Amino acid sequence: MSSSPRIIAIVPCHNEEAAIAKVVTDLHETIPGIDVFVYDNCSTDRTAQAAAEAGAHVRYETEKGKGNVVRRAFADLDADIYLLIDGDDTYDVADAPAMIDTLLAGPFDHVLGVRRQVSDTAYRSGHESGNKFFNTMVSFAFRREVTDMLSGYRVFSRRFVKSFPALSREFEIETELTIHAVNARVPQTEVEVGFRDRAEGTESKLRTYHDGFRILGIFSQLLFHERPFLVTGVFAGILAALGLIFGVPVVVEYFQTGMVPRFPTAFLASALFILSGVFLLMGVLLNGQVKIRREASRLFYLRLPAPPVGVKSPRREPAIDRMSVKDGA
């Protein structure tokens, strides 16, 4: 492994003409030698031209959606360290060296940039509460604390990128990245990063309720995909509880009178208990399949080299003074 790891930045963009040049310039000035790849995602303004003039490698993704950009970039680009950052200039690029050095010092496979508001209006209305809600759900379901699962500012190792399936199409990609990291139990940690208002002349592409429901949908799919026994167990418990509610009075009446006058209720209770057993059996079978899939995924992950240890990233100024110490290794 080279003493100076290759670092690339992946910058998804859709109509970010007003901000992208500053993001590219800041990346080059903060991390000398970094290769910045701007992926123009169906822009109708001069985003691509502005990025190229600032010194970025410009590529195009015609399938609209941030998830499609990340999927394409992870497949196309080869490096030791990958920095993912939005092109709207809301994230503080000055925090990138601390994130990279943190990954190398671990070594970690995933460093999450936890947003610290620089201004009171950085979060749009409803976004902060929605983010906290999803953080709580993921932390509970996957038994790993997550502080900012919807952050778009992250650093990855090569083995994380090349073992990540990338199935999402739009803004659900952050949810998929977070759940993949916590469920695969890759070495990861968090670093606090600055988060500010969007550059003047730009507007957010997020739609609060629409994208919120999409994130909830992908979370539900991933939960069933990764924790099937938990999901089927909940349904089995509900069905068993309903079976008891309907069945206990019938059993009590039978012991009191020796008769079962309410046959429909008795049949309903029996059917509910049978369905509960079916859900439990389905959970056991699916859980076995998940275990096999995880073992195969882990073996593929282990075939890739770990990030170089003890190497410092190139930088303009010393860093790791803003580092959080939330270690999830």
Side-chain angles (χ1 to χ4, degrees):
M1 179 68 68
S2 171
S3 60
S4 180
R6 187 189 181 205
I7 306 171
I8 64 172
I10 299 170
V11 190
C13 282
H14 174 70
N15 291 341
E16 300 291 358
E17 177 185 353
I20 187 58
K22 183 177 183 301
V23 174
V24 174
T25 301
D26 288 349
L27 285 168
H28 281 140
E29 290 181 351
T30 306
I31 310 172
I34 191 171
D35 288 319
V36 180
F37 289 84
V38 171
Y39 276 78
D40 187 312
N41 190 214
C42 306
S43 295
T44 56
D45 60 6
R46 295 186 66 259
T47 294
Q49 294 91 322
E53 290 167 3
H57 305 281
V58 178
R59 297 193 176 185
Y60 298 87
E61 174 52 55
T62 56
E63 292 288 334
K64 193 170 181 179
K66 185 177 180 180
N68 289 316
V69 170
V70 172
R71 178 185 176 92
R72 176 75 176 273
F74 280 10
D76 289 351
L77 304 178
D78 194 36
D80 300 307
I81 300 168
Y82 298 75
L83 171 68
L84 179 65
I85 187 171
D86 291 342
D88 55 10
D89 195 33
T90 53
Y91 294 105
D92 191 350
V93 174
D95 291 306
M99 297 174 69
I100 294 169
D101 281 348
T102 301
L103 183 131
L104 292 170
F108 296 105
D109 287 312
H110 176 223
V111 175
L112 174 66
V114 177
R115 290 171 285 185
R116 177 192 71 252
Q117 289 197 83
V118 177
S119 64
D120 294 335
T121 56
Y123 274 111
R124 287 176 59 191
S125 177
H127 284 191
E128 186 172 11
S129 56
N131 192 25
K132 290 179 179 178
F133 169 73
F134 286 118
N135 290 336
T136 302
M137 289 181 62
V138 171
S139 298
F140 171 76
F142 292 92
R143 300 190 293 265
R144 292 283 296 274
E145 184 179 357
V146 177
T147 307
D148 190 4
M149 65 169 283
L150 299 182
S151 173
Y153 199 6
R154 301 166 187 251
V155 174
F156 310 100
S157 69
R158 183 176 184 274
R159 64 181 179 181
F160 182 99
V161 166
K162 297 306 180 182
S163 63
F164 175 64
L167 303 176
S168 301
R169 297 179 180 273
E170 298 187 19
F171 286 105
E172 323 92 88
I173 186 65
E174 282 93 358
T175 304
E176 188 181 3
L177 284 165
T178 300
I179 292 179
H180 175 74
V182 299
N183 193 54
R185 292 180 291 167
V186 300
Q188 62 175 321
T189 191
E190 299 178 349
V191 170
E192 195 174 74
V193 298
F195 184 63
R196 54 179 173 254
D197 293 313
R198 293 180 62 91
E200 186 176 350
T202 67
E203 62 180 20
S204 176
K205 315 305 183 299
L206 284 170
R207 293 166 290 177
T208 303
Y209 296 105
H210 176 271
D211 291 318
F213 281 116
R214 287 189 67 93
I215 292 169
L216 185 61
I218 194 69
F219 169 77
S220 301
Q221 293 175 29
L222 290 170
L223 181 62
F224 183 72
H225 188 65
E226 301 292 347
R227 299 287 307 278
F229 192 73
L230 173 64
V231 177
T232 57
V234 169
F235 280 103
I238 293 173
L239 291 169
L242 290 173
L244 285 172
I245 291 172
F246 288 111
V248 168
V250 175
V251 173
V252 170
E253 191 172 10
Y254 171 76
F255 280 110
Q256 289 176 345
T257 66
M259 301 179 65
V260 184
R262 293 185 293 173
F263 277 106
T265 304
F267 287 139
L268 175 61
S270 300
L272 290 171
F273 275 113
I274 292 172
L275 285 175
S276 176
V278 169
F279 270 92
L280 279 178
L281 179 59
M282 181 170 63
V284 170
L285 295 175
L286 290 175
N287 202 55
Q289 293 296 316
V290 168
K291 184 177 180 180
I292 294 172
R293 176 168 50 80
R294 285 180 184 168
E295 288 174 349
S297 176
R298 179 69 179 175
L299 290 173
F300 178 80
Y301 165 85
L302 292 173
R303 290 162 57 186
L304 300 168
V309 182
V311 177
K312 291 290 185 181
S313 67
R315 58 177 65 237
R316 295 293 186 194
E317 54 182 331
I320 312 197
D321 48 24
R322 278 177 290 232
M323 218 175 83
S324 146
V325 287
K326 185 166 292 186
D327 189 339

